[in-house]
Amino acid sequence: MAIAELSPSYPRARVHPSSLSSRFSNPLLSRCRFVPLRPSRPNGVLCSIAPNQIQVPVAPPADSAGKKECFGVFCTTYDLKAEEKTKSWKSLINIAVSGAAGMISNHLLFKLASGEVFGSDQPIALKLLGSERSFQALEGVAMELEDSLYPLLREVSIGIDPYEVFQDVEWALLIGAKPRGPGMERADLLDINGQIFAEQGKALNAVASRNAKVLVVGNPCNTNALICMKNAPNIPAKNFHALTRLDENRAKCQLALKAGVFYDKVSNVTIWGNHSTTQVPDFLNAKIDGRPAKEVINDIKWLEEEFTNIIQNRGGVLIKKWGRSSAASTAVSMVDAIKSLITPTPEGDWFSSGVYTNGNPYGIAEDIVFSMPCRSQVCDFCVLLDLLLRFSFSYLLWRNYFSPYFREMVTMS
Ligand SMILES: NC(=O)C1=CN([C@@H]2O[C@H](COP(=O)(O)OP(=O)(O)OC[C@H]3O[C@@H](n4cnc5c(N)ncnc54)[C@H](OP(=O)(O)O)[C@@H]3O)[C@@H](O)[C@H]2O)C=CC1
Ligand SMILES: O=C([O-])CC(=O)C(=O)O
């Protein structure tokens, strides 16, 4: 398929010796240093640095001899297991974030590091992917992470080569991509951004954990997720998601406002289709306080016209006001999306995610990434075990309950 054949935007390998050494006031993080990269380090991400920053490597302090080498700004020259507090912790997970010096990441990384996303007993290693142009900013991000003293954040590495940064990652949060400006459609970004996801898919395929979960945010995110997935055949297709949770959150907010209730009363909201103006926010199956939203709101004209329009165009309206695209709310919706994947979905509810359509029961075209209602099952150590395209909407419901107009909108979107 043509999509799978997009060529890489970066050369295969880029390795720069690193320099920098730093010292920290936190005793746990003392004796940090940077060491030169090795082209193929089996475990862990190599920290790259811009060519003009190449220096002779700093020799390890005598008292750390025999201990693990440190990379990036966080340095595990201490024994994690020896710490009382870490005894009940789960084992470290590796999380890659691309576009790590960008706006969305700037909100997301601190949520990840705080434990808000993966839990207060889940230590994490952050692998930050940037580019030569953003490398200094990436160092700035890493410095801010250091200065935040998050106990669960055990390692931070920065790099510009996805083949290095994605090594062994369990999660890849792919944000890095050009955002649209005023007057643009998200699809206008495909020419520029599609290449990024072809390359990153190949890199994930080569070096990431075989069960890595991939959340694609960079726009147009559905198509980019498909491109990434097609380039990563070693990773199960069900592990790829395009972020449409922001749209779901927006829809919940508007329904709550209209009904005069707080957001937490709104459930069962689906975004069908693409994260674009063709999406269909499903008010027919949405519930407010357990009752059908359309009964509670009792204004079908508003639901069909205004509500749908508001959700479809929310991103563009925000760009006109801010001059840039939504970032904080996107990071929040990424947190929601990840938590939905690692937590069993409450009985009777579901969440929206852009997923691969093969085998879907709704008559949606096969072989695309399309947002649908999803539920997750979780194994006991809190890692996504499986994602069910659960037929919360049974085909019967789909056929009999949806108006032909609505059905057509969804399948055409
Ligand atoms: N799915 C969703 O719900 C949403 C998706 N988005 C999308 O997320 C993406 C990132 O948004 P945001 O963080 O605000 O953007 P920023 O411009 O703040 O950061 C994007 C990062 O992407 C990297 N990048 C890669 N290629 C390019 C390029 N050609 N031009 C510019 N930057 C590039 C840059 O990092 P580097 O130089 O290190 O490569 C940059 O730091 C956008 O595509 C945006 O449209 C935004 C909101 C919601
Ligand atoms: O509108 C954009 O380009 C950014 C985005 O995806 C959103 O805010 O939904």
Side-chain angles (χ1 to χ4, degrees):
M1 170 173 194
I3 259 169
E5 286 162 11
L6 288 170
S7 57
S9 57
Y10 297 104
R12 162 65 185 83
R14 259 191 228 194
V15 178
H16 301 287
S18 62
S19 62
L20 287 189
S21 67
S22 24
R23 300 212 161 256
F24 302 85
S25 53
N26 180 348
L28 287 180
L29 303 176
S30 63
R31 299 191 304 274
C32 291
R33 65 195 169 79
F34 284 73
V35 300
L37 290 179
R38 290 176 211 147
S40 57
R41 185 180 163 78
N43 294 313
V45 171
L46 300 176
C47 172
S48 314
I49 201 154
N52 64 356
Q53 294 171 300
I54 297 172
Q55 290 177 8
V56 175
V58 179
D63 59 355
S64 71
K67 292 191 177 167
K68 190 182 162 197
E69 283 180 335
C70 55
F71 290 87
V73 291
F74 282 74
C75 180
T76 49
T77 52
Y78 49 92
D79 181 3
L80 291 182
K81 292 197 188 79
E83 290 170 57
E84 193 58 36
K85 157 154 104 183
T86 65
K87 282 189 182 146
S88 60
W89 283 0
K90 297 170 180 162
S91 41
L92 190 82
I93 56 169
N94 295 313
I95 303 167
V97 179
S98 73
M103 293 290 296
I104 297 171
S105 291
N106 194 38
H107 294 276
L108 179 73
L109 291 172
F110 296 84
K111 293 177 179 297
L112 291 168
S114 73
E116 182 185 337
V117 186
F118 289 97
S120 56
D121 56 352
Q122 179 60 73
I124 64 168
L126 285 175
K127 321 286 190 189
L128 309 183
L129 179 63
S131 68
E132 274 171 20
R133 74 180 160 240
S134 69
F135 198 83
Q136 290 227 337
L138 218 52
E139 289 181 313
V141 171
M143 287 165 68
E144 281 215 273
L145 285 165
E146 282 174 2
D147 297 345
S148 301
L149 304 181
Y150 288 115
L152 290 163
L153 183 58
R154 312 311 292 201
E155 295 173 30
V156 174
S157 309
I158 55 181
I160 64 172
D161 181 350
Y163 285 84
E164 292 169 357
V165 174
F166 293 162
Q167 184 81 50
D168 297 327
V169 297
E170 279 99 359
W171 285 84
L173 309 178
L174 304 185
I175 305 170
K178 187 180 168 64
R180 67 176 168 151
M184 288 171 78
E185 282 299 323
R186 295 182 185 93
D188 299 338
L189 297 168
L190 186 58
D191 281 351
I192 302 168
N193 290 343
Q195 298 277 322
I196 296 170
F197 292 88
E199 167 66 358
Q200 292 183 359
K202 288 187 179 104
L204 286 168
N205 198 51
V207 300
S209 151
R210 295 304 74 180
N211 196 25
K213 323 297 178 303
V214 183
L215 179 59
V216 175
V217 178
N219 276 319
C221 64
N222 292 57
T223 312
N224 289 337
L226 183 68
I227 292 171
C228 191
M229 190 202 89
K230 291 285 181 181
N231 281 281
N234 293 338
I235 298 174
K238 70 178 169 60
N239 289 15
F240 289 79
H241 296 264
L243 184 77
T244 56
R245 187 55 168 269
L246 178 57
D247 308 285
E248 178 185 319
N249 288 356
R250 287 167 173 166
K252 283 181 166 161
C253 174
Q254 294 306 314
L255 291 173
L257 285 171
K258 182 73 176 171
V261 299
F262 201 61
Y263 321 129
D264 59 355
K265 298 281 184 288
V266 185
S267 64
N268 302 83
V269 173
T270 307
I271 300 299
W272 294 91
N274 279 342
H275 175 64
S276 78
T277 49
T278 61
Q279 69 180 262
V280 179
D282 180 353
F283 54 83
L284 284 176
N285 292 283
K287 290 186 181 152
I288 296 174
D289 234 349
R291 291 176 54 212
K294 74 178 173 68
E295 273 176 34
V296 176
I297 288 175
N298 197 21
D299 184 348
I300 198 73
K301 188 169 159 51
W302 179 85
L303 285 166
E304 277 183 359
E305 293 171 14
E306 272 186 67
F307 167 73
T308 301
N309 193 277
I310 289 171
I311 308 311
Q312 289 174 334
N313 292 295
R314 185 80 162 177
V317 170
L318 194 133
I319 289 172
K320 278 200 195 113
K321 293 194 184 285
W322 254 116
R324 57 136 181 95
S325 57
S326 49
S329 58
T330 306
V332 169
S333 73
M334 290 179 71
V335 172
D336 293 339
I338 296 167
K339 281 163 91 174
S340 286
L341 292 172
I342 61 173
T343 317
T345 310
E347 203 46 50
D349 203 0
W350 56 77
F351 58 91
S352 306
S353 190
V355 291
Y356 191 48
T357 52
N358 274 15
N360 82 86
Y362 308 117
I364 309 294
E366 301 262 305
D367 205 29
I368 57 173
V369 168
F370 193 92
S371 183
M372 299 188 201
C374 299
R375 292 176 50 82
S376 64
Q377 281 185 331
V378 178
C379 63
D380 56 3
F381 55 98
C382 239
V383 173
L384 174 72
L385 181 63
D386 201 359
L387 176 87
L388 299 179
L389 293 182
R390 183 74 85 80
F391 312 141
S392 318
F393 293 87
S394 68
Y395 184 66
L396 208 61
L397 178 69
W398 169 253
R399 227 181 42 199
N400 297 340
Y401 186 53
F402 283 15
S403 66
Y405 160 77
F406 189 84
R407 269 206 317 265
E408 193 175 328
M409 274 175 74
V410 169
T411 46
M412 297 306 288
S413 71

